[in-house]
Amino acid sequence: MEIISNCTQDVIKMAARALKDGHLVAFPTETVYGLGADATNEKAVSRIYSVKGRPTDHPLIVHISSANKLDKWAVDIPEFAVKLAKKFWPGPMTLILKKSDLAKDFITGNQNTVGLRVPDQFITLAILREFEKLDGLGIAAPSANRFGAVSPTTANAVVEELGNFLNYKDLILDGGKSAIGVESSIIDCTNDYPIVLRPGAVTTEMVEKITGLKIPLDFKKSKIRTSGLLESHYSPNAKVVISKTAEPGEGFIALANIPTPPGVIRLGSPKNVEEYARIFYEALRMGDQKGLKKIKVVQPDGDGLAMAIRDRLGKSAAVKDLSDRG
Ligand code: TXA
Ligand code: MG
């Protein structure tokens, strides 16, 4: 496995070629780092599952270079989905649509839908375009972490997560820190109205404004499975607890205006919600690096990205509660 920080045009070509040849390439996106494979190559895609340790019935997002490629992978695309794609792509939004024949069961987890996204990161967009020049059609990529663990927002974090599982022809591209820091919003577009399955930087309010449609509050109406929707996910080794107080020796993440309790190890002091999203996963990782047993986190209030942070935080906290119960 090679880690490359200087992503020149030659490197981009090499990465596209590696994907075409069936190898894995971890790449930066504006949300989190992804672990990519040719979305039409069953063998390459199966390696994503084994490297992540992820159950094979969990579908993967197919990354494409632009909204123009939507109808290669999806059919019966509703007008409101086209509006969303035109407005928010490239960007932190995944659309769930009825799949075309190109999207095989090994991508969709045997469902009749496919998740599609155009990421907003120049290195990865360049790879997607280069990959298409080699007749590539899309790059399947989950977040580049072991199943259930914290998503990586730096190339170092990818090495930490997957370094031991990748092989010598796979690549990790370093594009610096992910600009947003939490995974894309996932919008189910298979009903008469959009449903936000996973909150992210594209918010319910933004979706309603662009589509002119009202999203029912009852998200659970959708029967779609997403691994991010499992109750426990995004978890470091430390036990994550949502709390406004902390004891000496515990880790602590809170907005900068909240003081550090005595003897507590401050892992993050973001000034606003955007910065909170950007540093949150790295702060959890730092807690593990310091060998902390417990990390207390004060949730940010409000809508939008704050909702996405609370969603991930709740799932980080859930897993350790389950393990407490044995
Ligand atoms: O920001 C992101 O979305 C990142 C970057 C790399 O693009 N990717 C990402 O992938 O977070 P992953 O696999 O870690 O999470 C994607 C979620 C999973 O929970 C998966 O189950 C769900 O999307 N998903 C993918 N295709 C789906 C489909 N057809 N129907 C329902 N859920 C789907
Ligand atoms: Mg993930």
Side-chain angles (χ1 to χ4, degrees), residues 290-305:
K290 292 182 187 294
L292 303 183
K293 296 224 159 38
K294 218 179 248 187
I295 302 173
K296 298 281 184 66
V297 186
V298 183
Q299 310 197 78
D301 294 326
D303 298 334
L305 256 188

Side-chain angles (χ1 to χ4, degrees), residues 52 54 142-143 145 151 183 198 227 233-234:
K52 274 186 68 89
R54 172 162 160 162
S143 52
N145 52 277
S151 299
E183 302 80 357
R198 179 173 74 179
S227 66
H233 221 77
Y234 313 109

Side-chain angles (χ1 to χ4, degrees), residues 223-301:
K223 295 277 184 293
I224 289 175
R225 281 174 292 142
T226 59
S227 66
L229 296 181
L230 292 176
E231 237 161 54
S232 60
H233 221 77
Y234 313 109
S235 292
N237 295 322
K239 180 179 162 76
V240 176
V241 180
I242 300 165
S243 167
K244 293 199 164 127
T245 60
E247 304 303 316
E250 293 178 350
F252 192 61
I253 305 171
L255 281 165
N257 61 352
I258 300 173
T260 311
V264 161
I265 299 133
R266 189 79 181 223
L267 299 171
S269 314
K271 282 183 258 338
N272 51 43
V273 171
E274 286 73 27
E275 191 183 348
Y276 202 133
R278 224 161 28 236
I279 63 121
F280 178 54
Y281 287 147
E282 275 300 294
L284 292 178
R285 274 178 201 287
M286 201 193 297
D288 278 351
Q289 277 152 15
K290 292 182 187 294
L292 303 183
K293 296 224 159 38
K294 218 179 248 187
I295 302 173
K296 298 281 184 66
V297 186
V298 183
Q299 310 197 78
D301 294 326

